[in-house]
Amino acid sequence: VKVEDMNDTGVNDTSANTFAIKGSITVLQPNGSESWVNGSTQQIQWKTIGTYSQALKLQYCNNSSDPTWIDIPDEPSPGGDNEVKIYNWTIPDDISSRAKVKISTQENNASIDVSDTSDNAFKIKGGITVTQPNTNTTWYVGEVKEIKWFSTGTVTPVIIRYSATNGSPWYV
């Protein structure tokens, strides 16, 4: 940088060393309190301040108190200055109540590379879908009927409850 008197160009000084202008990146989502089901597609959202030319590195961890970062395979574009970008992530079967996402630039220059992680932990959980009974049907006392469901991700063990009042209270 050079600073110079407008009326006397002989009065000036120039920086003795080079310096970098560093932007920033902010994880907007997930940023805590989300609860995402394994196998579903959810949006990772971020915003960069400044211009980055290389693809981003997306990672997640399943233990935010002692993170081991796991790469998310794709490397999306960082987007333009102050632009919100979205990556559609298929949620892995990695059940956790303390997951976080980390997004990093990859300019290969420590003086300008930046990263950010989710501010708070989010959940990755399994899902259950009841397939039988799942229609307006009547079951009679003494009949033997099957209750069927399928699970998405790790869901064990399950507990089966029923309600005679359409949802409240539930009985074992």
Side-chain angles (χ1 to χ4, degrees):
V1 169
K2 182 176 185 178
V3 178
E4 183 176 83
D5 183 332
M6 282 181 47
N7 297 321
D8 183 354
T9 58
V11 178
N12 67 70
D13 192 30
T14 304
S15 301
N17 294 302
T18 60
F19 67 96
I21 298 175
K22 194 170 199 165
S24 66
I25 192 164
T26 304
V27 174
L28 303 174
Q29 181 178 301
N31 222 14
S33 77
E34 295 88 353
S35 188
W36 290 352
V37 176
N38 158 263
S40 68
T41 300
Q42 302 293 334
Q43 293 184 339
I44 297 174
Q45 295 182 16
W46 67 90
K47 180 166 65 170
T48 54
I49 301 297
T51 303
Y52 295 93
S53 62
Q54 302 299 314
L56 297 176
K57 178 181 261 189
L58 302 180
Q59 299 172 297
Y60 79 98
C61 71
N62 59 11
N63 183 355
S64 58
S65 61
D66 185 20
T68 297
W69 295 104
I70 301 162
D71 289 346
I72 296 172
D74 293 328
E75 293 186 342
S77 143
D81 180 34
N82 207 30
E83 178 184 4
V84 174
K85 293 292 285 184
I86 294 171
Y87 172 77
N88 290 315
W89 182 34
T90 301
I91 306 306
D93 187 10
D94 199 357
I95 307 305
S96 174
S97 62
R98 297 186 312 220
K100 283 192 173 185
V101 163
K102 180 179 180 179
I103 304 176
S104 307
T105 59
Q106 299 185 96
E107 301 296 312
N108 297 317
N109 182 340
S111 65
I112 62 171
D113 272 327
V114 294
S115 68
D116 190 36
T117 61
S118 305
D119 289 341
N120 297 293
F122 65 96
K123 292 181 183 179
I124 296 176
K125 64 181 185 175
I128 296 173
T129 302
V130 175
T131 58
Q132 185 176 315
N134 203 22
T135 60
N136 190 12
T137 187
T138 302
W139 287 5
Y140 295 97
V141 173
E143 288 183 324
V144 176
K145 297 287 187 174
E146 287 187 338
I147 297 172
K148 295 181 181 180
W149 69 92
F150 68 86
S151 61
T152 304
T154 305
V155 180
T156 57
V158 298
I159 185 167
I160 298 173
R161 300 176 188 264
Y162 73 94
S163 172
T165 58
N166 201 24
S168 183
W170 291 98
Y171 302 100
V172 176

